[in-house]
Amino acid sequence: MLQGARLHEMKVFEWLLTYHPYTSLLSCQMSVPWILPLSCNSDLCGCCFSHIVLFTADTLCSPSCPQPIILILLDIPPMLPVLDGVVMELQDCALPLLREVIPTDKVEVGFKDLDAAILVGSMPRKEGMERKDLLKANVAIFKTQGAALDKYAKKTVKVLVVGNPANTNCLIASKSAPSIPKENFSCLTRLDHNRACSQVAMRCSVSADNVKNVIIWGNHSSTQYPDVHHAKVNLHGSEVAAYEAVKDDNWLRGDFISTVQQRGAAVIKARKLSSAMSAAKAICDHMRDIWFGTKEGEFLSMGVYAAGNSYGIPDDLIYSFPVQIKNKTWKIVDGLPINDFSRAKMDATASELVEERDTALDFLSQ
Ligand code: LMR
């Protein structure tokens, strides 16, 4: 399809700010990547970083994703030696579409002329920390990042926020970048979406690619609502509604939902580390779909600006909806019938987001 075509390079950026126990940078709104536990040592940090960066680069540079990229990695000064190692590994991967890797600790280099920004770093909740404290720290981080995007990135930049609380961080980044359209900002709920597909697929003894059109509504938190009322499962060549394929309404309305809602916590409990591989895969899925669009008749979950949605979700939120994407532009899939069970869950997660937003906006205005 693309033979002979001159492909333009796309600049991709990953914000990797690292917690470093020997610096005071944390108090300067530097952050801990959400893929790392606070107690990790720097070897572990390097390993997690490499993991997420290499996976992202590998997928974004694969032949199925024919977009050459220049990858810019931003971190705090003490982590530059680690970044050098990541750069060497990226070079050693001999990725066909990776044109250049630029490690930097300078915001003006990191954000310059970006086509895509993946904001991975954020302040995770520490023991004894109130949700308010967490929001306050992250408002400071995402205000800075939004302002840097506003100043240095292309106005067409697509920004994916991964660091938690991802929805509200994304809203703050967008509000801090007034010259960039709100539609260019999204947050990651693809990980939850993939988890939901996989749970249904395992239940039906099929592979995950046989499940489509699940929806994650709302917040990337334990109030999110994984909804399969509109999902389809391909069972041995025929497409059937998920409820029909699973044949266990109690499970779909009970354990299925709580498993997906609690999956991040379960991974942390088991690994003593936040999800890394599955998150990296979800980041790649999300970015690839923004760049190349969704398949005909299929929709995906993405945290996007809620303005003008048909589901009665308050406007000024980043809320996860079913979306279809064409020409790098998402559109909420409107008009899906919503029953009372779903309504209550969609509203509950919206309420949590309203509360987060109001607290965050208080801090933003200070
Ligand atoms: C996940 O869903 O795996 C992460 O968002 C969990 C976390 O808090 O790091």
Side-chain angles (χ1 to χ4, degrees):
M1 172 183 78
L2 283 148
Q3 262 174 7
R6 171 83 179 91
L7 297 170
H8 291 290
E9 284 161 348
M10 156 195 174
K11 269 190 168 179
V12 176
F13 162 80
E14 294 202 35
W15 178 278
L16 291 177
L17 289 175
T18 311
Y19 170 71
H20 195 282
Y22 308 113
T23 67
S24 59
L25 286 168
L26 201 59
S27 60
C28 315
Q29 284 89 49
M30 295 302 175
S31 68
V32 187
W34 66 277
I35 53 168
L36 302 177
L38 250 181
S39 58
C40 70
N41 60 42
S42 52
D43 283 352
L44 209 48
C45 296
C47 163
C48 289
F49 280 154
S50 306
H51 197 157
I52 205 157
V53 175
L54 290 177
F55 199 107
T56 312
D58 188 27
T59 309
L60 289 179
C61 295
S62 74
S64 66
C65 209
Q67 170 65 65
I69 72 169
I70 299 167
L71 189 60
I72 306 165
L73 306 173
L74 178 71
D75 211 324
I76 54 175
M79 291 308 288
L80 285 183
V82 174
L83 271 194
D84 284 341
V86 176
V87 173
M88 282 189 258
E89 285 212 74
L90 283 167
Q91 290 166 345
D92 299 347
C93 288
L95 298 166
L97 291 161
L98 186 59
R99 296 292 184 257
E100 196 181 349
V101 187
I102 305 173
T104 184
D105 58 356
K106 298 197 173 38
V107 166
E108 61 276 19
V109 176
F111 285 89
K112 182 104 183 91
D113 291 337
L114 294 179
D115 296 289
I118 304 168
L119 307 184
V120 181
S122 71
M123 166 76 81
R125 196 163 174 161
K126 291 180 246 173
E127 218 178 320
M129 202 178 191
E130 296 296 325
R131 200 170 173 86
K132 263 193 159 184
D133 301 329
L134 179 72
L135 279 167
K136 187 174 186 181
N138 281 301
V139 164
I141 292 167
F142 284 86
K143 183 180 172 182
T144 310
Q145 299 190 13
L149 285 163
D150 204 53
K151 190 163 176 193
Y152 299 113
K154 289 183 183 167
K155 300 305 168 201
T156 51
V157 66
K158 304 293 183 198
V159 183
L160 167 60
V161 176
V162 178
N164 281 324
N167 300 55
T168 301
N169 290 343
C170 185
L171 186 70
I172 296 300
S174 145
K175 284 185 183 293
S176 306
S179 69
I180 298 171
K182 295 215 164 348
E183 295 70 28
N184 293 16
F185 287 79
S186 55
C187 83
L188 191 75
T189 54
R190 185 60 170 271
L191 177 53
D192 312 294
H193 181 105
N194 289 349
R195 287 166 172 163
C197 285
S198 188
Q199 288 297 318
V200 170
M202 286 189 288
R203 198 78 180 182
C204 298
S205 304
V206 295
S207 57
D209 59 335
N210 287 294
V211 181
K212 67 176 191 189
N213 296 356
V214 305
I215 303 169
I216 304 298
W217 300 98
N219 203 358
H220 173 67
S221 76
S222 57
T223 68
Q224 65 173 268
Y225 170 42
D227 175 11
V228 293
H229 285 98
H230 312 283
K232 301 263 188 289
V233 182
N234 187 330
L235 280 184
H236 319 297
S238 53
E239 211 167 70
V240 295
Y243 268 81
E244 206 182 306
V246 170
K247 292 192 188 350
D248 188 345
D249 293 12
N250 284 340
W251 180 76
L252 280 174
R253 289 177 164 231
D255 283 355
F256 161 71
I257 294 176
S258 54
T259 299
V260 177
Q261 287 173 330
Q262 305 290 341
R263 191 64 159 190
V267 170
I268 292 171
K269 189 159 179 244
R271 266 171 39 87
K272 315 288 177 256
L273 280 173
S274 194
S275 48
M277 177 171 44
S278 56
K281 160 72 166 53
I283 291 170
C284 296
D285 289 347
H286 182 114
M287 291 311 282
R288 189 197 51 233
D289 287 340
I290 287 190
W291 241 254
F292 298 105
T294 44
K295 291 186 198 149
E296 198 60 40
E298 288 193 23
F299 46 79
L300 298 161
S301 307
M302 200 180 266
V304 294
Y305 200 60
N309 71 87
S310 69
Y311 295 105
I313 302 301
D315 274 359
D316 194 24
L317 292 180
I318 297 283
Y319 186 97
S320 179
F321 287 101
V323 299
Q324 287 175 320
I325 306 167
K326 211 173 172 180
N327 302 325
K328 299 197 180 84
T329 305
W330 54 261
K331 200 172 161 305
I332 295 173
V333 178
D334 276 331
L336 295 171
I338 303 296
N339 62 22
D340 290 348
F341 179 83
S342 296
R343 184 75 257 164
K345 294 202 171 315
M346 288 161 67
D347 289 345
T349 188
S351 296
E352 184 184 51
L353 280 170
V354 167
E355 211 178 292
E356 274 186 22
R357 176 200 63 197
D358 292 348
T359 311
L361 290 184
D362 272 354
F363 291 130
L364 191 64
S365 65
Q366 282 168 19

